Amino acid sequence: MKSPDHHHIMQRVKVGMIGLAAVILLIGIASTILGSLNRDEPPAAMAGAAQSNVVADMAVANATTVPTSEPLAELGVAPAPVNAQAPAAPTR
């Protein structure tokens, strides 16, 4: 008769092998799905791909803008600079 320890060890080996097979199967399925998606779309139409005409237009637009002395104030992140001649404080 086999000892209970041997039975427990064999059960753990079976569970480990089934888990390993499941992970390999999931990786294979994911690889197949992602491979078929990449073949269907042309490379230029992929999301996040740079489009040369848009990038060129952006470069031209950036070259024609006039630099300001307060870029943060222009974006609304920092307050605008105070005028050099501030109004006098009211007197009582």
Side-chain angles (χ1 to χ4, degrees):
M1 205 149 93
K2 295 182 181 179
S3 67
D5 286 338
H6 181 72
H7 178 69
H8 183 67
I9 291 172
M10 289 306 294
Q11 182 182 5
R12 290 182 60 122
V13 168
K14 286 179 186 178
V15 169
M17 295 299 272
I18 290 171
L20 183 62
V23 167
I24 291 173
L25 181 66
L26 287 175
I27 290 172
I29 291 171
S31 176
T32 303
I33 291 172
L34 292 176
S36 68
L37 288 176
N38 287 339
R39 274 182 285 170
D40 292 343
E41 295 180 15
M46 290 176 53
Q51 298 172 353
S52 61
N53 59 348
V54 174
V55 174
D57 290 342
M58 289 171 51
V60 170
N62 287 339
T64 59
T65 58
V66 178
T68 61
S69 61
E70 294 291 330
L72 292 177
E74 185 178 303
L75 294 173
V77 181
V82 180
N83 292 339
Q85 295 177 350
T91 57
R92 293 185 185 184

